Amino acid sequence: MKRREHTPDEREARLVSLTRQLFAGEISEGRLLRTLRREVLGLSQEDYARLVGVSRRTLSDMEGDKGNVSLAVMNRVYRPLGLRVGLIPRQSALLERLLGADDGASG
């Protein structure tokens, strides 16, 4: 059975939805990576690992929230998905405030 191609808008909507779940603590980084790789890009682990220049084992470990990879590797793996590794607050209230509507502050 052939996988249905998604429109760019559908892929972006899925990316936004899953990233919000990550920020809410509902899914892990590994789960986000696995779901986006499969659902948004439609690629196997082997093909995606080749695309980003890591071993399939490294990708598998990342998707399973195992292993210890550098920030450079993480950024290389997330780049085709339009994401990069960064810092987010651990406190949910501060995260909500940062992601909320503009409060008029500039900077």
Side-chain angles (χ1 to χ4, degrees), residues 11-58:
R11 288 192 300 267
E12 183 176 288
R14 188 67 174 137
L15 172 69
V16 168
S17 172
L18 288 165
T19 305
R20 283 187 177 148
Q21 289 178 38
L22 175 71
F23 289 163
E26 298 168 2
I27 61 172
S28 68
E29 290 88 352
R31 176 81 184 267
L32 172 74
L33 176 58
R34 180 177 188 262
T35 303
L36 289 174
R37 172 186 58 79
R38 294 175 79 195
E39 292 182 11
V40 173
L41 298 179
L43 294 175
S44 68
Q45 273 189 341
E46 184 82 22
D47 290 339
Y48 193 71
R50 192 175 310 111
L51 173 74
V52 298
V54 300
S55 70
R56 193 206 55 79
R57 176 64 187 245
T58 296

Side-chain angles (χ1 to χ4, degrees), residues 54-67:
V54 300
S55 70
R56 193 206 55 79
R57 176 64 187 245
T58 296
L59 182 59
S60 177
D61 285 350
M62 289 178 69
E63 289 182 353
D65 296 306
K66 302 174 190 160

